[in-house]
Amino acid sequence: MSERPLHEKITDLASVLMALTYAGGGIYLIFSSLSFSLMPVGSPARYGFAGILIAYGALRAYRTWRKYKA
């Protein structure tokens, strides 16, 4: 079994970090009372945007995991 090249390892690490950033940002947006006055607390737009961030983070994590397994 051959070892993966360094540039693929760096790309995979960056993908995992970005997936965690997106999902964490969505979770933070849900549980935080701060949104810099762009979206009021409890608004559907705020929770919709947070849901999209979490879903996109999960998608990136899945794609990275699937690529790593291949």
Side-chain angles (χ1 to χ4, degrees):
M1 185 168 165
S2 64
E3 188 173 335
R4 297 171 68 98
L6 180 62
H7 70 278
E8 286 185 15
K9 290 180 183 179
I10 292 172
T11 302
D12 291 343
L13 178 63
S15 294
V16 168
L17 290 175
M18 287 309 298
L20 290 173
T21 301
Y22 281 117
I27 292 169
Y28 178 76
L29 192 57
I30 288 173
F31 290 116
S32 170
S33 63
L34 302 173
S35 66
F36 307 107
S37 301
L38 296 176
M39 291 181 267
V41 175
S43 71
R46 179 184 175 118
Y47 293 123
F49 184 60
I52 289 170
L53 284 175
I54 293 169
Y56 185 64
L59 175 69
R60 283 188 68 114
Y62 172 72
R63 286 175 38 197
T64 303
W65 177 74
R66 192 175 66 183
K67 180 183 165 198
Y68 181 73
K69 287 295 198 181

